[in-house]
Amino acid sequence: MKATLSRRTLLAASLLAAAAGAAQAQATVFRVTAIPDESPTELARKAAPLMKYLEGKLGMKVEYTPVTDYAAAVEALVNKKVDLAWFGGFTFVQANVRSGGKVVPLVQREEDEKFRSVFITADPAIKSLADLKGRDLSFGSQSSTSGHLMPRHFLLAAGIEPERDLKRVAFSGAHDATIAAVASGKVQAGALNISVWDKFVADKKVDTARVRVFYTTPAYYDYNWTVHADMPAAQKDKLSAAFLALDKSTPEGAQVLELQRATRFIPTKAENYKSIEGAARSAGLL
């Protein structure tokens, strides 16, 4: 009987030790995600060098964890399933509201201080926002700042109510998908992130003799890297310092910044996204 109890005790102890070891191993992995505003393969390609760089700076394993949609990225950070998330301005606002103010934007690209959206078309008759009346338009994801919220905001400012004035409103799900929808003729116009458009043009992935920009929005704050407010201050500081140290003069820095489409990273704060929150509320999206 005593031998049986002893074996049971040893088994229980070994199981507890294994569980503790697994928990410790998980705690030593720093998990990162990003809103899926481009194809999964492109997001993974952009993430790989950054994950390697952060591993060196943080002194721990860093893993990129893809999500299926924008809402999943919000929930992952709010529920601490990931440690760091790449959000658009609107997604940050959603996470901030969802968490009761328990998320903190750390850094943004210098470009994100004055970000823009573009409206594109392959229809020669479309030359202004007013020309969209009675036509098909594709946004990106419903939760996208640059692919939906801000384009909608500027349409409303121009007196165009999408659901009332357009023939059809579509959602492609991602910026590259919006370009494809316009180029293939599925829709007559589309709205998307200027950075993705410029990259497609530079890589000659779009025929600019057919598909062109007919309207560029005014500037607004957009993307950032955000953490949960419960992250220890020392780790937040270490993480911020890693991003701020990225420099195009080094091979590693040049590779990461080019893939992130960034000149450099700069500090940011929640107050920068108040106008995004206001636009979301006035458009009935929050």
Side-chain angles (χ1 to χ4, degrees):
M1 183 70 174
K2 286 183 179 179
T4 302
L5 286 174
S6 178
R7 283 197 296 271
R8 286 177 180 173
T9 301
L10 286 171
L11 179 60
S14 64
L15 288 172
L16 283 171
Q24 185 175 5
Q26 186 168 0
T28 59
V29 176
F30 189 86
R31 302 186 187 281
V32 183
T33 197
I35 55 171
D37 60 348
E38 295 183 79
S39 69
T41 52
E42 178 63 10
L43 290 174
R45 185 180 77 89
K46 287 167 59 179
L50 177 59
M51 301 305 105
K52 182 180 177 183
Y53 169 78
L54 290 177
E55 280 191 351
K57 291 294 184 180
L58 298 179
M60 60 194 302
K61 184 172 179 56
V62 177
E63 285 185 358
Y64 172 67
T65 305
V67 290
T68 54
D69 55 35
Y70 284 51
V74 169
E75 291 302 314
L77 186 66
V78 169
N79 294 311
K80 302 182 190 178
K81 299 297 184 184
V82 297
D83 304 288
L84 176 68
W86 173 245
F87 284 152
F90 184 29
T91 336
F92 164 74
V93 167
Q94 289 176 317
N96 201 36
V97 171
R98 173 78 177 80
S99 67
K102 293 283 286 181
V103 296
V104 179
L106 292 183
V107 296
Q108 63 183 175
R109 299 171 302 187
E110 188 172 41
E111 288 79 358
D112 293 314
E113 283 190 305
K114 295 180 179 179
F115 206 77
R116 291 177 169 83
S117 297
V118 292
F119 284 76
I120 62 172
T121 186
D123 186 341
I126 298 177
K127 297 177 181 177
S128 69
L129 293 181
D131 295 329
L132 289 173
K133 290 185 177 182
R135 290 181 163 86
D136 299 332
L137 172 74
S138 179
F139 293 116
S141 165
Q142 288 185 312
S143 292
S144 173
T145 310
S146 53
H148 179 216
L149 172 60
M150 295 315 286
R152 177 179 287 271
H153 172 72
F154 291 114
L155 281 171
L156 292 171
I160 300 171
E161 167 60 58
E163 281 71 26
R164 180 194 67 201
D165 297 324
L166 304 183
K167 181 179 179 183
R168 180 170 65 95
V169 174
F171 291 91
S172 70
H175 301 295
D176 46 6
T178 297
I179 296 175
V182 173
S184 67
K186 287 183 179 178
V187 291
Q188 292 157 301
L192 70 144
N193 170 330
I194 193 171
S195 176
V196 173
W197 171 257
D198 286 345
K199 180 65 174 171
F200 264 63
V201 172
D203 292 347
K204 295 181 170 34
K205 290 183 177 179
V206 59
D207 180 3
T208 52
R210 288 190 60 254
V211 183
R212 59 186 168 79
V213 172
F214 68 91
Y215 180 76
T216 301
T217 71
Y220 53 87
Y221 278 97
D222 203 352
Y223 296 87
N224 64 60
W225 284 104
T226 294
V227 299
H228 198 281
D230 290 344
M231 177 180 284
Q235 190 170 41
K236 285 181 200 169
D237 292 343
K238 201 171 185 179
L239 190 56
S240 293
F243 277 102
L244 299 179
L246 282 164
D247 191 326
K248 280 193 172 182
S249 67
T250 68
E252 185 178 38
Q255 182 188 31
V256 172
L257 289 170
E258 182 180 357
L259 284 171
Q260 296 298 312
R261 298 172 195 151
T263 302
R264 64 189 178 109
F265 281 93
I266 60 175
T268 191
K269 54 189 178 181
E271 289 76 14
N272 288 342
Y273 305 95
K274 285 296 183 185
S275 61
I276 295 286
E277 182 178 348
R281 292 192 185 282
S282 65
L285 298 176
L286 194 64

